[in-house]
Amino acid sequence: MSYERVAIDELMINLNPLQTAGRASAAVRKAVARFSDGYSVCDRCEGVLHDIEKPDIKGFTAELAEFIGADRVAVTMGAREGKFAVMHSVANPGDTIVVDGNAHYTTFMAAQRAGLETFIVPGSGSPEYSIPPQGYAEAFEQCKSATGKLPALALLTHVDGSYGNLSDAAAVAKVCHDAGVPVVLNAAYSAGRMPVNARELGVDFIVASGHKSFGASGPVGFMGAVGEWADRLFRLSPTHPKKNIELLGCTARGSNIIALMTALPIVKKRILNWPAEVEKTRRFVEGMEKIGDIFQEGVKPKQHDLIRFDTPLYHRIGERHRKRGYFLSSELADRGITGLKPGQTKWFKVSTYGYSDAQIDYILASFAEIAEM
Amino acid sequence: MSYERVAIDELMINLNPLQTAGRASAAVRKAVARFSDGYSVCDRCEGVLHDIEKPDIKGFTAELAEFIGADRVAVTMGAREGKFAVMHSVANPGDTIVVDGNAHYTTFMAAQRAGLETFIVPGSGSPEYSIPPQGYAEAFEQCKSATGKLPALALLTHVDGSYGNLSDAAAVAKVCHDAGVPVVLNAAYSAGRMPVNARELGVDFIVASGHKSFGASGPVGFMGAVGEWADRLFRLSPTHPKKNIELLGCTARGSNIIALMTALPIVKKRILNWPAEVEKTRRFVEGMEKIGDIFQEGVKPKQHDLIRFDTPLYHRIGERHRKRGYFLSSELADRGITGLKPGQTKWFKVSTYGYSDAQIDYILASFAEIAEM
């Protein structure tokens, strides 16, 4: 029995923001194919995944820490797993965490799994939906009034998955530290696309996603800590002194770590191209808004490739089309474009990451053509 | 940059018990290659990994539950992750868990991560190191005396990774239920090699490893629950009602779930061959013990392919060899055989799983030849 990926999706331009920076390069695909067996990296292990020298996971771990600006890192199965590990290490059940209003749902899952109460820093609402750094100070005060103490941890979603807003991590980190609250940066949509340095930003913890933004076959990600918090996050077992409790000993014990290792040098090069990616996103926004009643939501101008459009134009067409709202994804599919939720016309999210100018022109022409229906 | 698997290991007969039942078939390798991109299974997701119909993860999940004899299952990143999820769902920090004396180190990691105290059911010691089901009743009494209450959970390692003993799960489950203690079966070394049915055995939870015993590229595994415990393990978020708290929403969101899906039909066939595998293991033990001072440890006759040998014969050779204890792995490598810890001669663990009779003869002849040195 063979499982076919929805084949047509593989041949299409996929605009889904989840997918654009997660496409695996030929190098990653080849590397993963060599390590397809279970425990494939463990032939020469002496007890700890991150210390394996053949393949050079040990060297890679040091390189990754330097790349992300952390004192120590560990590979995880993704950003959400890292978020839970951080929350579980820093806070106790019943404690509070302050998160931004655009946080990914997994931030709330991790908090609930860790038994934490959540206070939310409200966004600015329409049209920007931005997160004001000072909002953290207000949330801390709210928390102190309600619970009698400061939150155990704060979290900022560096780039959120709703509007693609790039928040001011350094400013938020400062507010948190002025109040004495440690802060974790969810860099799932930023690290791997643009330069991100935890130490420079002043955050205590950082989590990243390999399968979202590093073009790594996953699930795989990593987490890092700066300063004294590294000992807490990476604390060892009292009974099995080589084994890390939060990692349950070993995490990415197979081909996924090879994927991340192969992806890193490629990522180091591609993040240098980030300004061009942003420029392309802004050009795309301009082209889309020219078509008619299409409006980019979130902070303008764009500082990230994830775009949310409010699209009354397509909604109106859908109201009178025989295929109803499904006309849009159907027309796009006919043109070799996928990634929108079928049936969705009032608004949608797309990402332009990695597409050529010619492809961007084609996508714009397609949306323009469909708008004439 | 390309990462080479320790190439010689790929061409060798690898006796490492971690590896033998984790080798990915051609079908799994091909399937995984099609899904190498990040979030590759998520193109048609409506919010929950386990409900995706294209590819048919939903159908697979139902099939897997039926296969393992659970009311509900979820794919995880491996057995250890499942163990933590179960412990974290059933017990509170400060509670106690009773585990068998041959438990994998990750059982202790999961317990420590969940903040649980551990009581151990002692093994029978040399030469069998077996776990007496009645030992659980004694451990429960011990726990009640020490803490004032029964443990929150019991765990049995179905087949342990030290001696390859197959424990009587049904008997242990009965003892646990007679005492009112829920029990989780760690089937990492059993499910995928031999028929295992949680309901028939009478256990409440079961965890399995795809990369250890299903020939699935990982890291990937699954966990299941029977009866009322399913609701507890798979509890949903109060704020995001479709999302499962313990799974942080979604787990195997990439090629690893495709690997497990592709592996399942192959596993369903191969477990029918289990008696032949056991027969082969016993033949191998007989052949090894004939060579000289080599003794199979653990329960005899073998009921599983993981064998621990006490090997004074090789230790004596190592004492006078110029390569010291490293002579053994070196001589084996010259003969195309790997999997022992370099330097180890007093004892070692091997697995015969999946090798042909001709390969078994060859391995025996190699060990015999080396013994003449």
Side-chain angles (χ1 to χ4, degrees), chain A residues 194 204 243:
Chain A
M194 52 187 277
D204 303 286
K243 311 287 189 182

Side-chain angles (χ1 to χ4, degrees), chain A residues 9-165:
Chain A
D9 288 345
E10 291 178 77
L11 302 172
M12 286 188 158
I13 289 173
N14 192 337
L15 298 177
N16 187 336
L18 264 192
Q19 309 282 12
T20 52
R23 274 186 294 265
S25 59
V28 166
R29 300 178 113 93
K30 278 190 283 186
V32 163
R34 289 199 67 117
F35 284 84
S36 288
D37 301 314
Y39 291 108
S40 53
V41 297
C42 308
D43 289 316
R44 291 276 176 265
C45 177
E46 306 213 1
V48 180
L49 172 76
H50 288 83
D51 289 341
I52 293 171
E53 294 184 18
K54 226 175 188 174
D56 193 13
I57 295 175
K58 187 172 186 178
F60 163 72
T61 304
E63 191 187 340
L64 187 59
E66 210 214 309
F67 170 73
I68 203 65
D71 288 339
R72 285 188 61 182
V73 300
V75 178
T76 63
M77 308 299 194
R80 67 189 70 188
E81 288 84 357
K83 281 189 284 191
F84 174 74
V86 170
M87 292 182 196
H88 191 246
S89 299
V90 171
N92 295 309
D95 282 348
T96 310
I97 179 174
V98 167
V99 311
D100 61 281
N102 293 333
H104 194 251
Y105 83 85
T106 57
T107 296
F108 298 96
M109 293 305 100
Q112 285 163 18
R113 194 184 186 197
L116 308 181
E117 292 301 314
T118 310
F119 273 75
I120 296 175
V121 177
S124 63
S126 179
E128 289 205 329
Y129 304 96
S130 65
I131 304 297
Q134 205 44 36
Y136 277 80
E138 287 154 29
F140 295 161
E141 287 305 311
Q142 237 190 356
C143 180
K144 248 189 350 197
S145 303
T147 71
K149 49 178 187 162
L150 283 170
L153 181 69
L155 179 143
L156 172 68
T157 315
H158 202 188
V159 174
D160 70 276
S162 303
Y163 304 100
N165 286 341

Side-chain angles (χ1 to χ4, degrees), chain A residues 4-5 10 19 22 24 34 36-39 43 80-81 88 112-113 217 237 239 246 248 250 253, chain B residues 4-5 10 19 22 24 34 36-39 43 80-81 88 112-113 217 237 239 246 248 250 253:
Chain A
E4 295 297 313
R5 186 164 181 192
E10 291 178 77
Q19 309 282 12
R34 289 199 67 117
S36 288
D37 301 314
Y39 291 108
D43 289 316
R80 67 189 70 188
E81 288 84 357
H88 191 246
Q112 285 163 18
R113 194 184 186 197
S217 304
S237 162
T239 54
E246 210 56 50
L248 296 174
C250 303
R253 47 210 188 276
Chain B
E4 294 298 314
R5 186 164 181 192
E10 293 177 78
Q19 307 284 14
R34 288 198 67 116
S36 289
D37 301 313
Y39 291 108
D43 289 316
R80 68 189 69 188
E81 287 84 356
H88 191 248
Q112 286 164 17
R113 194 184 185 198
S217 304
S237 162
T239 54
E246 210 57 48
L248 296 174
C250 302
R253 49 210 188 275

Side-chain angles (χ1 to χ4, degrees), chain B residues 207-239:
Chain B
V207 301
S209 172
H211 48 265
K212 182 171 271 177
S213 294
F214 276 69
S217 304
V220 71
F222 61 93
M223 61 185 185
V226 183
E228 57 180 59
W229 287 111
D231 287 338
R232 179 66 199 149
L233 181 60
F234 300 111
R235 64 202 182 285
L236 300 171
S237 162
T239 54

Side-chain angles (χ1 to χ4, degrees), chain A residues 4-16 18-19 326 328-334 336-344, chain B residues 35 38-58 242 250 253:
Chain A
E4 295 297 313
R5 186 164 181 192
V6 183
I8 199 170
D9 288 345
E10 291 178 77
L11 302 172
M12 286 188 158
I13 289 173
N14 192 337
L15 298 177
N16 187 336
L18 264 192
Q19 309 282 12
Y326 293 89
L328 183 54
S329 44
S330 176
E331 289 291 324
L332 287 167
D334 287 347
I337 300 170
T338 186
L340 271 61
K341 268 193 179 347
Q344 198 176 26
Chain B
F35 284 83
Y39 291 108
S40 52
V41 297
C42 308
D43 289 316
R44 292 276 177 265
C45 177
E46 305 213 1
V48 180
L49 172 75
H50 288 84
D51 289 342
I52 293 172
E53 295 183 17
K54 224 175 189 173
D56 192 13
I57 295 176
K58 188 173 186 177
K242 292 207 307 187
C250 302
R253 49 210 188 275

